[in-house]
Amino acid sequence: MSAQLEVSVEGHLGVIALNRPEAINALSAGMIAGVTETLTLWRDEDRVRAVLFEGRGPRGFCSGGDVRAVRAMALEGRLADAEAYFAAEYAMNLLIATYEKPVAAIADGIVMGGGIGIAGHAGFRFTTANAKFAMPEAGIGFFGDVGVNYILSKAPVHRALLFLMSGAPVGAADALALGLTDCAVMPERLSELRAGLVLAANAANTATAIVALMQAHSIQAGERMLCGLADLLAGELGLESAAAIVAAIDLRASESAAIAAVAGLLKTRSPTSLETIVQSHRAARKLPGASQVLALDLRLARLMAGFPDFAEGVRAVLVDKDQKPQWVPQSFAGVPMAAIRAAVAEATTVAAAAV
């Protein structure tokens, strides 16, 4: 078991705490393996009636996958190892999404990428007013993976696309509207909430007891800033390609500071990432479940990890931290659309054949 996980059982509540605070609990391969091993063990263990995910440290629940490690694999030509990392992560996501026992998550602080892949797939999702949710992959040459397209599929498509394409962090109100969480709670009451979850696991009907906790602790989450902006740009976000969406939003930049800001942000993102995000999200909405969406993610992860934008984006944001990625291609004209569409079509065909 990885030392970067704390695993315990309190009463009938199994607790998995991400414990890599120096990296805001970024998911190492060992952590992913440990979560999978623990959930598999607890599946048939009678004393564990429910599971809770939480994150250690003051900065957040989880900052995502360990993309620096994956970048190193890609640069060394070990794409099979990179694929194995993603395959293990996505298998963990699916295990959480389909777990037979109630799974709760308390998301506080930073909840990004792979953090959404854990907390977002839980059946009972608590967040605080301090939380910031984001899928920043367009800024590192990747795409919205970890089954987030399945999680977002109940939100209006224009809201989901602006969240994914911009990579902008959102608060609890937007997270609720996007379907990333179920309940906003006061940070000051987290200890009380956690104690309540231990009691709920002891109840005759654990799921009903957790719902009652949600009702007791729920607070108003504030204004939905990103979703409000997405609603204003619904027409533009409904266009067929990322290239068309970015150009159309740019034409409206003079209307407000908010539109100008998001137009400017989109121009800094990898064109290849943006097209992959648009194509994969729309395809995912036609797939029947989390398993098929995660299978699509794996096909695209295999493709994207081998593109130069992934290594360059991680370098610019997380390694050298100069925030000046040099995308290849720099414009939408050179984006390898044929490869992206082929990967999407392959996953869609396999999903259709399995039904």
Side-chain angles (χ1 to χ4, degrees):
M1 183 68 65
S2 171
Q4 297 165 342
L5 288 179
E6 289 182 4
V7 175
S8 61
V9 178
E10 301 179 27
H12 291 291
L13 181 68
V15 180
I16 300 176
L18 308 179
N19 187 34
R20 195 187 177 193
E22 70 280 4
I24 321 179
N25 299 321
L27 297 170
S28 66
M31 293 168 75
I32 292 167
V35 169
T36 300
E37 178 186 340
T38 300
L39 290 177
T40 302
L41 176 67
W42 284 347
R43 181 183 270 157
D44 299 317
E45 194 163 323
D46 290 341
R47 68 173 178 146
V48 176
R49 297 179 185 171
V51 176
L52 170 65
F53 281 97
E54 56 187 1
R56 295 285 185 258
R59 292 191 288 171
F61 175 74
C62 177
S63 61
D66 194 351
V67 291
R68 280 188 286 191
V70 179
R71 173 183 182 265
M73 297 172 195
L75 288 175
E76 293 166 7
R78 296 189 290 124
L79 289 177
D81 291 339
E83 181 180 349
Y85 173 90
F86 290 122
E89 183 179 18
Y90 302 164
M92 176 193 69
N93 299 146
L94 183 61
L95 181 58
I96 294 169
T98 58
Y99 206 60
E100 298 88 345
K101 298 178 181 181
V103 177
I106 298 176
D108 187 29
I110 291 173
V111 191
M112 291 185 178
I116 290 177
I118 291 179
H121 285 297
F124 301 91
R125 305 169 301 176
F126 298 86
T127 192
T128 71
N130 298 332
K132 291 295 181 184
F133 289 76
M135 291 297 295
E137 282 74 10
I140 60 167
F142 208 54
F143 72 104
D145 65 335
V146 298
V148 71
N149 286 323
Y150 175 72
I151 298 169
L152 291 169
S153 62
K154 294 181 176 62
V157 65
H158 62 279
R159 292 181 174 182
L161 281 178
L162 188 60
F163 175 68
L164 293 169
M165 293 176 72
S166 70
V170 302
D174 277 307
L176 285 163
L178 289 164
L180 299 170
T181 191
D182 300 311
C183 174
V185 301
M186 294 176 61
E188 298 82 3
R189 296 187 67 189
L190 282 183
S191 295
E192 180 185 345
L193 169 62
R194 197 180 179 287
L197 287 168
V198 174
L199 292 176
N202 295 337
N205 190 319
T206 297
T208 299
I210 296 176
V211 170
L213 273 177
M214 286 186 165
Q215 294 170 340
H217 285 267
S218 180
I219 62 170
Q220 293 296 316
E223 189 175 356
R224 299 175 298 187
M225 302 294 290
L226 181 132
C227 288
L229 181 59
D231 292 346
L232 291 175
L233 298 171
E236 288 74 14
L237 289 159
L239 296 173
E240 183 177 352
S241 67
I245 291 169
V246 171
I249 291 176
D250 191 49
L251 289 174
R252 294 188 58 184
S254 62
E255 293 182 21
S256 72
I259 296 177
V262 79
L265 192 59
L266 290 173
K267 290 179 183 178
T268 70
R269 302 317 193 196
S270 160
T272 300
S273 291
L274 291 176
E275 287 292 8
T276 305
I277 285 167
V278 171
Q279 301 305 319
S280 64
H281 182 72
R282 289 188 172 143
R285 284 179 174 253
K286 300 174 184 177
L287 296 175
S291 176
Q292 293 78 13
V293 173
L294 286 160
L296 169 59
D297 287 351
L298 186 57
R299 283 170 171 79
L300 288 171
R302 182 187 306 135
L303 181 71
M304 297 290 284
F307 285 162
D309 277 4
F310 176 66
E312 172 61 9
V314 176
R315 178 207 65 76
V317 175
L318 296 172
V319 179
D320 297 338
K321 301 182 181 180
D322 59 25
Q323 310 300 324
K324 295 179 181 179
Q326 300 299 309
W327 304 125
V328 178
Q330 293 184 331
S331 71
F332 286 103
V335 170
M337 288 300 297
I340 295 167
R341 286 179 175 144
V344 171
E346 179 188 1
T348 304
T349 300
V350 170
V355 174

